Amino acid sequence: MATDELLNQLRKYFGHAYFRSGQQEIIQDVMNGRDVLGILPTGVGKSLCFQLPALLNKGVTIVISPLISLMVDQVKQLKAKGFKAVIALNSFMDLKERSKELKQLDKYRLIYLSPELLQNPRVTLELKKLHVQLFVVDEAHCISQWGHEFRTDYLKLSQKIAELGNPPVLALSATATPEVQKDIKQQLDKPDMTSHINQMDKPNMSFSVEQFLYPEDKAKRIISIAHQKRTPTMIYFSSRSAAEQLAEELTNALEQRVAFYHGGMENMDRLLVQQQFMKDELDIICCTSAFGMGVDKPNIRRVIHYHFPAQIESFIQEIGRAGRDCQPCASLVLHTPNDQVLPQLLLEKEVPREEDVRRVFSWLSQNSKLPSDEEMLEKMNLSESQWNFLKFHLEHVQIIINGEVRQEDKLEAFRPEIVKRLNKRWKYKNQKYKQMLDWVLHKGCRRDRLYMPFQKGTAKPVVECCDYCGFSIDDLDIQKDSCNDSENFSSWKDRLDAVFLQESING
Ligand SMILES: Nc1ncnc2c1ncn2[C@@H]1O[C@H](COP(=O)(O)OP(=O)(O)OP(=O)(O)O)[C@@H](O)[C@H]1O
Ligand SMILES: [Mg+2]
Ligand SMILES: [Zn+2]
């Protein structure tokens, strides 16, 4: 499709005046049926890279997405824009509803689902009946064995792609090192993918780290920052109780609306807090990493890390929530010498240790059928990711097939191999953690250092760069406008036209 024509379609359907840097090249290649790996910074608009082709293509676009809330949000937004032929299949749907939807999948042009649900044989069966024109993997770093978590179904996508008749594949991410990029292509079995690797740094963000001796000092500092100006702020914690505690402290100390959010809360409470924050009914949210992915709020100005995460990738995703409207925003990490204890403890829960392997293998040698995953975790005293790790490798060598132990005589021979793999993983995780810590303790330009593992150099920022270059979060300029695209391009009439046009497309 010609460049002008593509731009017209963007304006018509989405009301954006221009493509943001990187989008058009990706979309053009996707429309030409190529396999594409697209790396774009957080919040720039990766979704558009498949949403626009999905609108223009005649066939179906399948999107693999790691989080239900993320899919549901996108479906809601698209429906609000008038694109109705879209659905998020998920495990929260009751079985009857899911069964009904599965029977009428041909109604849809854009289908979101998780990698786990894609493995469901019934789902595969129904998807195979469709003409899949594009297969998208959003947050594609999850595919990599060096990705964020051990979501093992991500490693089984290539087989499903083949079963669906090998449609063109689009893999998207904001945080993939060259090593991970290579791994994504390999895991997807598409070594010749066209890569569009854009610079990942955000020129509208300033960075800073402040050192303290005691945790109490962090709270005082946050209160003083928040006091200066009321503006949407996220504060990240690695512990749920710390998030709750500071939320209470801030509520008492400030005349601002503060709430906490973490994975231990009821679903309804989480949803409520998220919606309040999105609608500007909260000023400050104290949260764990459970909050963030898929949160597309344009005007978050400050992301503060009370605790820093265990790897740079997570950090980049978390600060990526800020400044999505392209206006100035800032990141601040508060650090005390004591902060290094907690991440180490959390790391230990992620990867099994040698004694865990011994315990699990000994149990497997005496049993032939596996209980449910939950029971197994409890019985073996493992975390979910520890068990996922073991199960994945045992399934891979077919010692476990369909929840049954098949070749227990092979267990002993396999043990040294799995120990070798987990030691490798340990080493990797520790190295990642050290990279993050080095950044926190770095004495030099933080921008350059942060993106060093991913790319060569950074763009000249349009705001002050970092604390090393003279920035303090006290100077955050909230008025300045540094947007390079006009969000207000479309008049109500253009939008209306687009909606009518889509209605007619969708029947
Ligand atoms: N060309 C454009 N012009 C203006 N706004 C745009 C454009 N493309 C996308 N956007 C807006 O940018 C915001 C972020 O988009 P999106 O959620 O797709 O980002 P993302 O790159 O997927 O981010 P993340 O890394 O967090 O997943 C959305 O609100 C979207 O409407
Ligand atoms: Mg996205
Ligand atoms: Zn700098």
Side-chain angles (χ1 to χ4, degrees), residues 43-55:
V44 155
K46 285 182 286 297
S47 325
L48 190 86
C49 299
F50 56 82
Q51 287 172 347
L52 186 58
L55 269 163

